[in-house]
């Protein structure tokens, strides 16, 4: 009988120790569970900042292209009003300038498209709601919505 009580006491002590050990091991894990949420929020914040930066880069490129078009228009006007003996030289300069601009803008677009693909992949990894909040996607939705509205008008 005394041996049975001793075994029960040992079982209770061992169970208590096992429970205490489990709590000690799991407690830091449970305490850290808030940190990934904070990390995710920080990551979302950084991601949205990247969205805004990318949108600004895209807008800057559009503005630069518009300025280049204005500059080329001025060069063409100068070429058209130049004396006949100067037109060929000015035309060669305009064409050369156009090609240089085109090569530069194509390289810039390719780089931006690559960055945008990486950016969208990050959104996809973060989940559907992340992509929906991206300003770049909102622009695309607005444009596709407008195109769809035009399509609906055409059907009527």
């Amino acid at each position: 009988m005394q041996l049975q009580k001793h075994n029960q006491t040992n079982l209770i002590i061992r169970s208590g120790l096992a429970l205490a050990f489990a709590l000690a091991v799991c407690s830091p894990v449970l305490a850290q569970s808030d940190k990934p949420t904070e990390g995710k929020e920080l990551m979302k914040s950084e991601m949205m900042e990247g969205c805004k930066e990318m949108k600004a880069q895209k807008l800057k490129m559009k503005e630069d292209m518009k300025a280049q078009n204005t500059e080329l228009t001025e060069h063409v006007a100068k070429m058209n009003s130049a004396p006949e003996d100067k037109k060929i030289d000015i035309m060669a300069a305009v064409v050369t300038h156009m090609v240089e601009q085109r090569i530069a803008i194509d390289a810039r677009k390719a780089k931006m498209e690559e960055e945008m693909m990486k950016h969208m992949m990050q959104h996809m990894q973060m989940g559907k709601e992340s992509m929906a909040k991206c300003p770049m996607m909102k622009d695309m939705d607005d444009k596709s919505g407008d195109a769809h509205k035009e399509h609906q008008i055409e059907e009527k």
Side-chain angles (χ1 to χ4, degrees):
M1 198 69 165
Q2 199 170 13
L3 183 62
Q4 193 176 15
K5 274 187 173 179
H6 183 60
N7 283 342
Q8 285 178 346
T9 305
N10 277 342
L11 182 62
I12 292 171
I13 292 173
R14 286 181 185 165
S15 297
L17 287 173
L19 180 62
F21 179 74
L23 287 173
V25 168
C26 292
S27 179
V29 171
L30 292 174
Q32 290 178 357
S33 67
D34 289 342
K35 289 183 181 177
T37 303
E38 291 171 11
K40 277 186 177 181
E41 290 303 316
L42 179 62
M43 195 165 129
K44 285 181 184 178
S45 172
E46 289 173 359
M47 189 71 181
M48 290 302 139
E49 193 61 39
C51 295
K52 290 176 185 173
E53 183 180 318
M54 191 165 291
K55 187 174 179 177
Q57 286 177 6
K58 188 175 176 183
L59 183 61
K60 173 80 168 106
M61 185 166 56
K62 282 184 178 181
E63 290 170 355
D64 290 348
M65 289 172 68
K66 196 173 186 178
Q68 287 177 353
N69 288 342
T70 300
E71 181 184 354
L72 285 174
T73 301
E74 291 170 4
H75 284 302
V76 169
K78 191 186 296 184
M79 175 189 71
N80 288 337
S81 64
E84 290 298 318
D85 62 328
K86 303 281 185 186
K87 279 189 179 185
I88 292 181
D89 290 337
I90 295 173
M91 188 175 6
V94 168
V95 170
T96 301
H97 191 66
M98 286 174 60
V99 170
E100 290 170 351
Q101 284 182 343
R102 180 68 182 254
I103 289 169
I105 207 74
D106 284 350
R108 193 169 161 190
K109 279 183 179 180
K111 183 180 177 196
M112 186 175 284
E113 286 173 3
E114 184 179 327
E115 289 173 4
M116 286 175 70
M117 288 302 292
K118 288 179 186 176
H119 181 79
M120 290 301 141
M121 291 300 290
Q122 289 174 335
H123 274 299
M124 288 172 66
Q125 291 172 351
M126 292 177 73
K128 203 186 281 186
E129 67 280 351
S130 174
M131 191 172 286
K133 292 179 182 176
C134 178
M136 298 295 289
M137 291 303 291
K138 286 180 182 177
D139 280 353
M140 288 179 181
D141 288 344
D142 292 344
K143 288 176 185 171
S144 65
D146 290 344
H148 186 68
K149 285 177 190 173
E150 290 171 10
H151 174 71
Q152 288 175 338
I153 292 169
E154 287 175 8
E155 287 179 347
K156 290 182 180 179

